Amino acid sequence: MGEAVEFLHCNGFPNVLCAPTKHHATDNSSWYEEELDVDLKWSFALNRVLHKGTSEYQDIALLDTKHFGKVLVIDGKMQSSEVDEFIYHECLIHPALLCHSNPKSVFIMGGGEGSAAREALRHKSLDKVVMCDIDQEVVDFCRTHLTANHEAFQNTKLNLVINDAKAELEGRKEKFDIIVGDLADPVEGGPCYQLYTKSFYENILKPKLTSNGIFVTQAGPAGVFTHKEVFSSIHNTIKQVFKYVLAYTAHVPSFADTWGWVMASDQPFCIDVMNLDKRISERIDGELLYLNGASFVSSTILNKTVAKTLKNETHVYTEDDARFIHGHGVAYRA
């Protein structure tokens, strides 16, 4: 979402400021404040800080907030919140699995909090889910603190790997029906931007898909004012590699924006409301909270401004020419 502001702090957490102020409710809360852009901030009240630290790769914070529940923040950017992460993760995982005729295997790049794996494991047809995250510390404290994902981490179908996703995919001999990019947004100095490049998609990721395999990735903010940051460029980069590419969006309240995903394959997608609802009923354990056939189809219809930008975008991600959202990773600050 944005870079966390270094504020004078009252409780040992450098992005926390004390209430009351003239802008905040007059209670005894502390507030976490986040800079979405150079002239735009937002804040949310905290119950407490559950964890903060810096791993080898990222700044990490797990916050217990009054409005959004437990919130994971990496490199100053909101990654997910307890109360609405189902929107992001249902949109990330289920469309690709439902569009595949009979998915058996999934490889998740990133996803250390376990929510993407949790949603994938609801699909009855799957034999194996590989979740590959680079950061052991993120995985460990999410496994400890995010109780909604405890069962997913203990599922025998889940193969958890701590490694760079690029190296892990490159070294594996098997192919996967679905590959998921549940990566942090590309920020300068962050560990992920090379996993959004054309060379990675073309030379490493695509060869690890089965012939009718599907790739899906989160693609950053996709609002009217934010979609040019990375969303349009990620979409255009994937178009250079795959024959069929589909962008879709949904509003995520805790992100304070519309969010974007891109799905791609060399086989055409069958996007039919009745067929999707039938597959949801037959294939998925339990009830989805956000997604059904109609909502997914509607999510693929982009507003005029965003659609025009995607149509006209020319930028392609390379190692030497990347776009970044507002904020910086650990390596940049070092």
Side-chain angles (χ1 to χ4, degrees):
M1 285 287 300
E3 184 178 15
V5 184
E6 296 297 320
F7 265 28
L8 179 66
H9 52 96
C10 58
N11 60 357
F13 188 47
N15 305 321
V16 174
L17 61 157
C18 286
T21 76
K22 65 179 180 180
H23 300 297
H24 298 131
T26 55
D27 56 22
N28 294 319
S29 300
S30 294
W31 292 73
Y32 183 85
E33 187 158 293
E34 187 175 320
E35 185 173 300
L36 305 182
D37 209 335
V38 291
D39 56 0
L40 182 63
K41 304 171 186 176
W42 85 317
S43 57
F44 39 97
L46 299 180
N47 292 315
R48 61 189 176 122
V49 177
L50 297 172
H51 175 95
K52 76 178 187 73
T54 301
S55 73
E56 181 181 353
Y57 304 100
Q58 302 162 116
D59 285 335
I60 307 162
L62 188 64
L63 313 177
D64 182 11
T65 72
K66 291 184 180 296
H67 192 76
F68 293 116
K70 292 176 183 175
V71 166
L72 178 64
V73 178
I74 293 180
D75 282 338
K77 302 188 305 298
M78 175 90 78
Q79 299 298 307
S80 72
S81 79
E82 193 173 31
V83 301
D84 68 0
E85 57 85 6
F86 67 91
I87 303 172
Y88 170 92
H89 289 105
E90 286 188 14
C91 288
L92 174 69
I93 293 297
H94 297 301
L97 281 157
L98 293 168
C99 286
H100 194 283
S101 58
N102 187 28
K104 297 294 184 182
S105 59
V106 174
F107 186 97
I108 300 171
M109 303 186 295
E113 69 181 271
S115 299
R118 179 199 70 217
E119 291 301 316
L121 288 163
R122 297 175 67 182
H123 284 255
K124 302 171 188 176
S125 67
L126 288 182
D127 297 324
K128 177 169 66 173
V129 175
V130 178
M131 185 181 89
C132 180
D133 197 284
I134 198 171
D135 202 325
Q136 180 78 61
E137 187 170 345
V138 169
V139 173
D140 286 346
F141 82 70
C142 288
R143 180 185 282 182
T144 299
H145 293 291
L146 301 183
T147 55
N149 298 335
H150 281 176
E151 286 188 17
F153 278 112
Q154 295 169 359
N155 194 303
T156 57
K157 293 181 180 181
L158 179 66
N159 177 14
L160 173 59
V161 178
I162 304 300
N163 195 7
D164 173 67
K166 179 179 179 182
E168 185 67 25
L169 270 179
E170 202 167 19
R172 283 183 171 259
K173 294 182 179 180
E174 79 265 44
K175 296 189 176 187
F176 295 88
D177 294 318
I178 310 290
I179 296 179
V180 178
D182 188 17
L183 303 163
D185 300 314
V187 296
E188 288 189 82
C192 293
Y193 86 89
Q194 294 188 24
L195 302 185
Y196 291 95
T197 60
K198 181 179 182 240
S199 62
F200 171 69
Y201 293 148
E202 194 167 46
N203 300 323
I204 297 175
L205 187 148
K206 188 176 179 180
K208 298 302 179 181
L209 281 171
T210 54
S211 59
N212 62 339
I214 298 173
F215 168 57
V216 62
T217 184
Q218 80 88 14
V224 170
F225 300 120
T226 55
H227 67 281
K228 293 182 181 180
E229 292 179 3
V230 296
F231 179 56
S232 60
S233 182
I234 292 171
H235 176 262
N236 188 57
T237 302
I238 293 171
K239 278 173 59 180
Q240 312 307 308
V241 178
F242 289 92
K243 189 173 180 181
Y244 299 96
V245 178
L246 184 66
Y248 56 100
T249 65
H251 178 68
V252 182
S254 62
F255 290 175
D257 208 345
T258 300
W259 214 252
W261 298 264
V262 179
M263 188 167 66
S265 180
D266 278 346
Q267 301 297 321
F269 300 115
C270 179
I271 308 297
D272 174 78
V273 171
M274 291 183 64
N275 186 51
L276 287 169
D277 283 336
K278 184 172 184 291
R279 289 186 174 187
I280 289 171
S281 175
E282 293 174 348
R283 293 186 182 187
I284 296 176
D285 282 326
E287 181 126 2
L288 298 183
L289 298 175
Y290 179 80
L291 206 67
N292 59 19
S295 65
F296 176 63
V297 171
S298 68
S299 75
T300 68
I301 303 170
L302 307 179
N303 67 66
K304 183 177 179 180
T305 297
V306 174
K308 184 177 180 180
T309 299
L310 264 59
K311 180 180 178 181
N312 295 330
E313 182 62 75
T314 59
H315 179 261
V316 173
Y317 264 89
T318 68
E319 287 78 359
D320 299 322
D321 185 14
R323 287 182 182 172
F324 302 104
I325 68 165
H326 184 72
H328 297 114
V330 169
Y332 182 95
R333 293 193 292 274

